[in-house]
Amino acid sequence: MTAAANQNGRRATASRRLERAGIRDVAAAAGVSITTVSDALNGKGRLPDETRSRVREVAERLGYRPSAAARTLRTGRSGLIGLTVTTYGEEPFTFTEFAYFAEMARAATSAALGRGYALVVLPASSRHDVWSNIALDGTVVIDPPDQDPLVTELYRSGVPVVSDGKPGNCPVTAWVDNDHEAAVLNILEHLSEAGARRIGLLTGTSTDTYTRLSTEAYLAWCDRVGQEPVYEAYPAHDPAAGAVAADRLLARPDRPDAVYGLFDPNGTDLLAAARRYGLRVPDDLLLVCCSESDVYANTEPPITTLSLKPRRIGTTVVNLLIDAIEGVDAGTGTATGRLFPPRYRTAGTGPPPGTLMPTELLVRASSQRRTPRTTVSPPRAPGEG
Amino acid sequence: MTAAANQNGRRATASRRLERAGIRDVAAAAGVSITTVSDALNGKGRLPDETRSRVREVAERLGYRPSAAARTLRTGRSGLIGLTVTTYGEEPFTFTEFAYFAEMARAATSAALGRGYALVVLPASSRHDVWSNIALDGTVVIDPPDQDPLVTELYRSGVPVVSDGKPGNCPVTAWVDNDHEAAVLNILEHLSEAGARRIGLLTGTSTDTYTRLSTEAYLAWCDRVGQEPVYEAYPAHDPAAGAVAADRLLARPDRPDAVYGLFDPNGTDLLAAARRYGLRVPDDLLLVCCSESDVYANTEPPITTLSLKPRRIGTTVVNLLIDAIEGVDAGTGTATGRLFPPRYRTAGTGPPPGTLMPTELLVRASSQRRTPRTTVSPPRAPGEG
DNA sequence: CGTTCATGGAGAAACGTATCTCCGGCCTCC
DNA sequence: GGAGGCCGGAGATACGTTTCTCCATGAACG
């Protein structure tokens, strides 16, 4: 009552616009102070249930919706986390076309929502600087290259950053990655057991973590078992280049009798190339590729794929990020933990905590010499020659 | 200089925390007022270039980043637009698994970024109320059902809403939809020309616009040409139900000799069902389904698909929404148009402006009796009688 | 009967920006 | 020589919350 006139004084003098009801209007209507309204609505403070419910009722009646902007300004929390991929640089969203990123982004969105956050996908750079216009509580960065300026900038300005892909040389809060080395070794071993004598690799020319680690693991394995490396690298961006590289690989004088392709389209490309050269899969050529697509379950023959389990990655990354956001106030390093005590361990000093997630090898006909079903197909004539 | 002490007084008395530089710090360091800093950085006001560049330089040196939260509070614009689908209700993100939604969302995100906005995907409802925590300049709603409470609430609170799918009975700012009627008629005509005598439909039980309009168009066509409708409806959510429905359709005594399936998996399901019943495609059964997937280019036989061109839809919807946001101040209806004059026509009163977008029929072997390559199949017996 | 607590709540200070209003000075023009 | 017009910029206010601080009241307790 007494407060009403006071609180509304300013508004009353202003124009009589029919705006949305503010917290002051609720306070006036309920005959309490705005403090009480805020406390009642947010479940804080010490208030008798009667007052609480009365205030809630009035707020409901007035159709009061708290201003997210004001709340964000006051609390410093926006409930928004960003997701971006910096590696593939300029062109926005070519990346979402990769099944891995699409699925990962979906899982990340879902995980964020499950914890009350919303996720916004942002490009590494754009004309309008969207980044500076949006209050972010934290950011997930997919596969940041060494010395990524964006990551450095974000981290320096106090925004927690969690990366998918072990970061090269950027300061991140935490990171998650597949155990690429284990995955590649597992595949090579699998192919060896299936009878492969010379295993080739179809890899990329870019320097992202995935490509680099996988290739290194392959080379190390070759070195260890004494096989001469047989690989072709191509720019993974270019869909046409993949087919050419697959062809090149099978055209080599030291043609491999088994191939692992690092990228999604490699399976069909290699299959097509094999067909051109009259190579039967899996009889003459064992095939494995990394893919999240289930079309490889229905190709002829079905192709063994390595799944990076992007959903699991996306979920983990987001949870790690939100833990960091809610655990410590990143800027000053002072633990706030009032409302949200850190439920997971929080990184102290030292290297950022990383988590390695396992991959999954879906073994299909293309990487097994003895297929269960006996086929009646006659030996095919060599390709197109 | 003189201003510096004043402006910083408050901050100086506060704790000496090493926070991010604010606009006041920049003003103090540059020896100007915060007004000048704001104007210089935002390209407004009348300032000599020398001052402008000096302020920019100081801001850069201090690593000044304007607070997005404060800007949002002040300007009432967050640069954020929401994307949600309400029809499929409770479960978040089952929808993104449909290729249509995934592609549409991708295009929408890209279009938004292209105009300086970020897009955040939100569920129709969730435990934590993410909606109220986020300042949205507008929202894209996919296929709102009649009387959608969310849409009504949004619209009432002054947030522009543009829907993908003609809205049943909700007040929206604008809407975009495919011309489903034309699409279905086109398909039926195409099938007729290919020799179909009795065309069946695989449809859904839900009441969304797409399903409803398509089914109605089918029924109307049947009525017009004097064919008895032959269709099966199933809950489109349930992937298993689709296969069962496809089977049911082909098991009917009045078995159709051509089928159009409204949903993505119908193609493979129908193909499998046809195989079970010993029906050859396209010889005994013509097939078309609505899908955005290109796997149907490689099935045996390739299946004719209807594409709803989700990318085009997503782009259009977002552009319409942003036009509305920048065109008029939705709450009061007063045109602000200071910075952003309405470039497109703005809806006055009356029904919300809607746009119908064409679809695209990708004709493949499954819907053509005479395939280019000469087949050796014998002439078929008429109908089934 | 005086002191301490717990209860219920009010006041006011931020949060950091954009922008409206206004002011002094200088130039120009009659 | 005075009056207006333009330039460059300062002051102050408002955006709508959250939250820190503090006060009044009564009850409990010695």
Side-chain angles (χ1 to χ4, degrees):
Chain A
M1 287 302 198
T2 64
N6 252 346
Q7 296 294 348
N8 258 19
R10 191 179 45 184
R11 170 158 296 227
T13 63
S15 66
R16 184 154 296 285
R17 283 181 295 175
L18 184 47
E19 304 266 2
R20 279 173 46 194
I23 197 175
R24 278 189 304 274
D25 303 310
V26 178
V32 295
S33 73
I34 60 173
T35 304
T36 304
V37 174
S38 178
D39 284 348
L41 263 37
N42 295 336
K44 300 189 176 177
R46 310 164 310 212
L47 296 177
D49 286 346
E50 190 272 328
T51 304
R52 227 175 263 278
S53 59
R54 181 163 47 90
V55 168
R56 286 211 172 105
E57 188 181 314
V58 170
E60 173 74 17
R61 182 159 51 78
L62 296 188
Y64 168 69
R65 294 284 175 272
S67 151
R71 173 176 295 167
T72 298
L73 177 59
R74 180 62 231 241
T75 63
R77 283 262 194 14
S78 66
L80 236 45
I81 65 186
L83 172 66
T84 191
V85 52
T86 62
T87 300
Y88 301 111
E90 303 315 315
E91 276 309 301
F93 293 100
T94 55
F95 77 88
T96 42
E97 289 169 15
F98 292 100
Y100 173 87
F101 294 124
E103 286 209 37
M104 188 275 193
R106 241 161 50 195
T109 306
S110 200
L113 287 171
R115 292 186 64 172
Y117 287 71
L119 184 139
V120 34
V121 178
L122 294 171
S125 66
S126 69
R127 280 185 304 114
H128 318 267
D129 197 0
V130 198
W131 284 91
S132 66
N133 264 331
I134 297 198
L136 253 31
D137 286 349
T139 308
V140 172
V141 178
I142 297 179
D143 212 358
D146 270 22
Q147 310 276 8
D148 189 335
L150 176 64
V151 172
T152 310
E153 157 75 14
L154 283 172
Y155 192 85
R156 221 186 42 191
S157 71
V159 180
V161 175
V162 175
S163 78
D164 169 13
K166 185 175 177 182
N169 209 356
C170 332
V172 298
T173 312
W175 57 268
V176 175
D177 205 345
N178 290 112
D179 193 343
H180 294 302
E181 187 180 354
V184 169
L185 293 183
N186 186 31
I187 289 171
L188 297 174
E189 206 164 290
H190 168 70
L191 289 172
S192 289
E193 280 174 9
R197 313 295 293 268
R198 177 158 48 219
I199 307 181
L201 182 75
L202 208 47
T203 180
T205 49
S206 61
T207 63
D208 57 295
T209 309
Y210 167 62
T211 306
R212 191 164 41 79
L213 288 184
S214 300
T215 308
E216 281 170 7
Y218 168 78
L219 293 176
W221 179 85
C222 286
D223 192 47
R224 185 153 53 78
V225 305
Q227 186 210 293
E228 196 67 21
V230 186
Y231 65 93
E232 294 285 339
Y234 73 97
H237 319 268
D238 185 355
V244 175
D247 210 274
R248 262 204 324 260
L249 187 58
L250 297 189
R252 292 173 64 126
D254 53 345
R255 170 157 64 203
D257 61 350
V259 174
Y260 171 48
L262 284 188
F263 304 106
D264 196 301
N266 291 349
T268 45
D269 287 346
L270 283 165
L271 208 53
R275 211 167 277 145
R276 276 195 295 279
Y277 288 103
L279 300 171
R280 293 164 306 174
V281 176
D283 307 74
D284 305 321
L285 184 70
L286 295 165
L287 233 51
V288 176
C289 80
C290 181
S291 166
E292 306 305 328
S293 166
D294 54 358
V295 305
Y296 285 124
N298 296 314
T299 49
E300 187 55 42
I303 295 181
T304 297
T305 55
L306 177 77
S307 168
L308 303 179
K309 311 300 277 179
R311 283 204 275 259
R312 204 154 54 181
I313 299 261
T315 304
T316 307
V317 164
V318 163
N319 279 323
L320 241 39
L321 178 61
I322 297 181
D323 289 343
I325 291 170
E326 298 183 346
V328 323
D329 214 347
T332 62
T334 56
T336 54
R338 207 184 349 266
L339 282 175
F340 307 104
R343 272 174 289 199
Y344 299 70
R345 62 196 166 79
T346 303
T349 31
T355 309
L356 283 182
M357 313 279 298
T359 54
E360 187 179 33
L361 192 62
L362 289 143
V363 178
R364 302 201 182 93
S366 73
S367 67
Q368 293 174 302
R369 280 281 147 77
R370 292 297 73 149
T371 55
R373 60 169 92 171
T374 53
T375 56
V376 224
S377 56
R380 293 191 300 112
E384 59 196 359
Chain B
M1 285 302 198
T2 65
N6 254 346
Q7 297 294 349
N8 258 17
R10 192 178 47 184
R11 169 159 297 228
T13 63
S15 67
R16 184 154 297 284
R17 284 181 293 176
L18 183 46
E19 305 265 3
R20 280 172 45 194
I23 197 176
R24 278 188 304 274
D25 303 311
V26 178
V32 295
S33 73
I34 59 174
T35 305
T36 305
V37 174
S38 178
D39 284 348
L41 262 37
N42 295 336
K44 301 189 175 176
R46 310 164 310 210
L47 297 176
D49 287 346
E50 190 271 330
T51 303
R52 229 175 263 278
S53 59
R54 182 163 47 91
V55 169
R56 286 210 171 106
E57 188 181 314
V58 171
E60 173 75 17
R61 182 160 51 78
L62 296 187
Y64 168 69
R65 294 284 175 272
S67 152
R71 171 176 297 168
T72 298
L73 177 59
R74 180 63 230 247
T75 62
R77 282 259 194 17
S78 67
L80 235 47
I81 65 186
L83 172 66
T84 190
V85 52
T86 62
T87 300
Y88 301 112
E90 304 315 314
E91 276 309 302
F93 295 98
T94 56
F95 79 88
T96 41
E97 290 169 13
F98 293 99
Y100 173 86
F101 294 123
E103 285 208 40
M104 188 276 194
R106 240 162 50 194
T109 305
S110 201
L113 286 170
R115 291 187 64 174
Y117 287 71
L119 184 139
V120 33
V121 177
L122 293 171
S125 66
S126 70
R127 282 185 303 113
H128 318 266
D129 198 0
V130 198
W131 284 92
S132 66
N133 265 330
I134 299 197
L136 254 30
D137 286 349
T139 308
V140 171
V141 178
I142 297 178
D143 212 357
D146 271 22
Q147 309 277 8
D148 190 334
L150 176 65
V151 172
T152 311
E153 157 75 13
L154 284 171
Y155 192 83
R156 220 187 43 191
S157 70
V159 180
V161 175
V162 174
S163 77
D164 169 12
K166 186 175 177 183
N169 208 356
C170 331
V172 298
T173 311
W175 57 268
V176 175
D177 205 345
N178 290 112
D179 194 343
H180 294 302
E181 188 180 354
V184 169
L185 293 183
N186 186 30
I187 289 171
L188 296 173
E189 206 165 288
H190 168 69
L191 289 173
S192 289
E193 279 175 8
R197 315 296 290 268
R198 175 157 50 218
I199 306 180
L201 183 75
L202 208 46
T203 180
T205 50
S206 61
T207 62
D208 57 294
T209 309
Y210 167 62
T211 306
R212 190 164 42 76
L213 288 184
S214 299
T215 308
E216 281 170 8
Y218 168 76
L219 293 176
W221 179 85
C222 285
D223 192 48
R224 183 154 55 78
V225 303
Q227 187 210 293
E228 197 66 23
V230 187
Y231 65 93
E232 295 284 341
Y234 73 98
H237 318 268
D238 185 355
V244 175
D247 209 276
R248 264 206 323 261
L249 187 59
L250 297 190
R252 292 173 63 127
D254 54 344
R255 170 157 65 206
D257 61 349
V259 175
Y260 171 47
L262 284 187
F263 304 106
D264 196 300
N266 292 350
T268 45
D269 288 345
L270 284 165
L271 208 53
R275 211 167 277 145
R276 275 196 295 279
Y277 288 102
L279 301 171
R280 292 165 305 174
V281 176
D283 308 75
D284 306 319
L285 184 70
L286 295 165
L287 234 50
V288 175
C289 79
C290 181
S291 166
E292 306 306 327
S293 167
D294 55 357
V295 305
Y296 286 123
N298 296 313
T299 50
E300 187 54 45
I303 295 182
T304 297
T305 55
L306 177 77
S307 168
L308 303 178
K309 310 301 276 179
R311 284 204 273 260
R312 205 156 51 183
I313 297 260
T315 305
T316 307
V317 164
V318 163
N319 279 323
L320 242 38
L321 179 62
I322 296 180
D323 289 343
I325 291 169
E326 298 183 346
V328 324
D329 213 347
T332 62
T334 57
T336 55
R338 208 186 346 269
L339 282 174
F340 307 105
R343 271 173 290 198
Y344 298 69
R345 64 195 163 82
T346 303
T349 33
T355 309
L356 284 183
M357 314 278 297
T359 55
E360 186 180 30
L361 192 62
L362 289 144
V363 179
R364 302 201 182 93
S366 74
S367 67
Q368 293 175 301
R369 280 283 148 77
R370 292 297 73 148
T371 53
R373 57 170 96 170
T374 54
T375 55
V376 226
S377 57
R380 295 191 302 112
E384 61 189 358

